[in-house]
Amino acid sequence: MSALTGILFAALIVYGGGWYAGQWTGNFALLLLILTSVTGLYWLAERFHFRPVREKAAADLETADLKRREALAAQGIARVDGDIVSAKEEVLRQPWWLDWTAGLFPVILIVFVLRSFLFEPFKIPSGSMVPTLLVGDLILVNKFHYGIRLPVINKKIISNHEVQRGDVMVFRYPEDPRMDFIKRVVGLPGDEISYRNQHLYLNGKLVDVKPVDAYYDEDSMQMRNRFEEKLGEKPHKLLVDMNRQQFFHPDRKDGPFPFQDHCTYNAEGLTCKVPAGHYFMLGDNRDNSRDSRFWGFVPDENIVGRAFAVWMNFSNPKRIGFFD
C-alpha cells in the first residue's frame, strides 16, 4: 500500500505541477472529488481493517508480555526488563501513507462540501467588471443561491432563487467550460436585449444611466466617466465611453454560437432575443469586456453561483465587503 500511495502522490504532483505551469487546464472540482473519494476509501480501510489489525497486534503483544511476566514470576523473578508501553505505541502508530490519506479525509471532506454546495472563493483576473470588482479581488460565490447542483457535472437537483437581472454571476465559460467567468446578468429568458451606440435597451426601452463622478481606471491609467445603472432592485456602477464608436460581431472561436440566429448585428450594435434557459451577460466595464455581445448566451447548466462579497484584496484591504 505504501508503494501505491507513493504513486498516487507522484501523479498528483505531476498533475498539479503541469496545471501550475500552464501545460494543461485543471478541473479543481473533479480533482477535489477524486481526493475526497480516494482519502475516503483509505479512511474506511483504516477504520475497519488496518486499525483493528494494529489493535489486535498490540493486544497480542500485551498478552504475550503478561504471560512472560507470569512465567518469570513463577520462577521467582520479579524484576523484568522491557518497555511494553513504547512497544504498543509503535505497533499502534499509523504508517505515513495512512496518516497522509485517511488522516486528511475529514479536512478534505469539509472543504469539498463547503466548496461544492455552500461557498466557493474566486480571484478576479481581469478588469471586465471594473468598477464593481477590481483585478486581485478575492470574492465569495454563493453556490446554493440558485439551487443545489451536483459537483463536476453541475446538474441542478434542488431549485432555490430564480436568476434576477442585475445579479453578478459566476458561470462556466461557454467557449471553454473548464474556465469560470464572472459578468452581470442583463437579459433573462424571453428578453429582447439591444446594445446600440453605447446604450442598453431592455425589451425596447432604454435603460437609463446617470453620470456619477470621474473614476480613475488603474488598468488604462486614465480618468473615465462613471455611471449608475439600475437593472434589478439595486443600482450598480459601470464605466462606458458614451462618445466611443464600437462595432460588435460574433467571434466565438469554435464557430457560430448556439442560437446565434437570435441575434442581429449592424453598424449601431446588436439586438438579441434571449432563448429559453439562457442568459445575456455584460461586464460593468462595457468598453473592455468580452461578453455575450461576442460569444452569445450562457445556458442555465453553466451557472456556478451568485457572487456577493469581496473577502480580501491584499493590495487594498479596504475593498473587503459586500457589493451589488
Side-chain angles (χ1 to χ4, degrees), residues 144-176:
F144 62 88
H145 182 81
Y146 299 124
I148 303 298
R149 296 173 183 266
L150 293 176
V152 182
I153 61 175
N154 212 40
K155 180 175 177 58
K156 184 188 293 186
I157 55 175
I158 300 176
S159 297
N160 197 2
H161 298 90
E162 295 295 327
V163 177
Q164 301 293 321
R165 296 187 193 93
D167 286 355
V168 179
M169 179 194 290
V170 173
F171 54 92
R172 294 181 177 181
Y173 183 32
E175 286 190 276
D176 186 354

Side-chain angles (χ1 to χ4, degrees), residues 11 58 62 73 80 106 133 147 149 153 168 173 192 223 268 293:
E62 187 173 16
V80 181
L133 296 171
R149 296 173 183 266
I153 61 175
V168 179
Y173 183 32
E192 182 181 86
M223 298 300 296
E268 292 184 339
R293 295 171 292 183

Side-chain angles (χ1 to χ4, degrees), residues 143-216:
K143 298 292 290 287
F144 62 88
H145 182 81
Y146 299 124
I148 303 298
R149 296 173 183 266
L150 293 176
V152 182
I153 61 175
N154 212 40
K155 180 175 177 58
K156 184 188 293 186
I157 55 175
I158 300 176
S159 297
N160 197 2
H161 298 90
E162 295 295 327
V163 177
Q164 301 293 321
R165 296 187 193 93
D167 286 355
V168 179
M169 179 194 290
V170 173
F171 54 92
R172 294 181 177 181
Y173 183 32
E175 286 190 276
D176 186 354
R178 296 172 299 177
M179 300 173 59
D180 292 318
F181 264 36
I182 183 168
K183 304 290 180 186
R184 190 177 296 275
V185 179
V186 171
L188 303 178
D191 283 344
E192 182 181 86
I193 303 297
S194 295
Y195 194 83
R196 305 193 306 267
N197 298 320
Q198 301 293 79
H199 290 84
L200 176 65
Y201 296 81
L202 175 60
N203 295 321
K205 296 181 179 180
L206 175 66
V207 178
D208 291 329
V209 295
K210 61 180 182 180
V212 177
D213 54 18
Y215 177 83
Y216 179 69

